[in-house]
Amino acid sequence: MIHNPNNYLTAGVPLEEAKRVMIMVHGRGGSARDMLSLATYLNADDMAFVAPQATDGTWYPYSFLQPTERNEPYLSSALTTLEMVRARLQADFNVKPTQIYWLGFSQGACLTLEFLARNPAAYGGIFGLSGGVIGPDNTPRDYPGTFAGTPVVLGCSDPDSHIPKARVLETDAIFSSMGATVQTRIYPNGGHTINEDELSLVNTVLMAS
């Protein structure tokens, strides 16, 4: 394993006591600590936050639009890391999928959205900020399974130096076709960042569930 699934930080309510858990996935050059700092902006007093840390701060080396094999074996290790974090929450803390929320930014959003497309379930909520599913254009997207009404928030700038608007819209279409309830916001010249409107959308989902 390139990435260590046991290398994560936590914040918020202790996992043993939390009614809900958010898995937060950082972007390229970011860190678990960066992601946990977002928790102060979220209305989630009953929630634990878990942020895995990529080795050397990068989940995979090249653009998410490159042929998938170029990003191996890093990508497979990153996907396995998310799978093992989720499995630990379920096995050790009896957290059900409906109690799990996912928030990824940039490369972390791409990784999270690709992982969830491959592993759909009725989750508490999915927040993909400045990201989209992984692979070059015309990648087959015949993911099996359903999100069973899971609320999904996608947000991105147009233009964004890393994330094409078309890929965000494609991700919306994929998740919608798999039974998610998707809200997508495109922000003209918004910059490659997390903005207040996106955090407001996240909080709306958190308060409604």
Side-chain angles (χ1 to χ4, degrees):
M1 285 284 289
I2 293 165
H3 305 292
N4 179 1
N6 297 314
N7 187 9
Y8 61 84
L9 298 177
T10 62
V13 178
L15 282 165
E16 299 82 10
E17 303 171 16
K19 292 185 172 65
R20 302 185 288 176
V21 179
M22 181 178 287
I23 300 171
M24 309 179 86
V25 188
H26 70 78
R28 187 189 301 273
S31 70
R33 194 171 302 280
D34 293 341
M35 292 304 289
L36 290 180
S37 70
L38 290 172
T40 58
Y41 300 98
L42 302 179
N43 296 325
D45 293 339
D46 61 347
M47 184 172 275
F49 300 91
V50 177
Q53 176 64 53
T55 298
D56 297 326
T58 300
W59 293 109
Y60 47 84
Y62 301 109
S63 165
F64 80 117
L65 302 170
Q66 290 288 314
T68 304
E69 55 271 18
R70 281 205 76 197
N71 278 312
E72 295 294 2
Y74 301 88
L75 176 58
S76 289
S77 180
L79 291 166
T80 299
T81 295
L82 296 192
E83 181 179 5
M84 294 180 74
V85 169
R86 183 189 63 174
R88 168 170 285 190
L89 292 174
Q90 293 177 300
D92 293 355
F93 302 100
N94 197 32
V95 179
K96 298 175 176 59
T98 53
Q99 297 171 289
I100 298 176
Y101 296 72
W102 302 82
L103 189 152
F105 171 65
S106 192
Q107 189 185 63
C110 297
L111 176 64
T112 299
L113 292 167
E114 182 64 28
F115 172 77
L116 294 171
R118 299 183 188 195
N119 298 274
Y123 295 108
I126 297 168
F127 313 111
L129 308 181
S130 300
V133 288
I134 291 174
D137 290 343
N138 302 315
T139 296
R141 302 294 183 185
D142 48 349
Y143 304 104
T146 178
F147 286 106
T150 298
V152 175
V153 172
L154 303 176
C156 198
S157 174
D158 181 35
D160 183 289
S161 53
H162 304 284
I163 314 297
K165 174 183 173 182
R167 182 56 57 91
V168 179
L169 298 179
E170 180 185 6
T171 303
D172 178 322
I174 292 164
F175 276 65
S176 295
S177 72
M178 295 173 69
T181 302
V182 185
Q183 295 183 80
T184 295
R185 295 279 178 88
I186 303 296
Y187 303 94
N189 302 305
H192 190 70
T193 186
I194 298 173
N195 65 45
E196 289 186 13
D197 187 64
E198 288 170 328
L199 291 172
S200 176
L201 290 171
V202 172
N203 277 325
T204 297
V205 172
L206 294 180
M207 290 185 290
S209 56

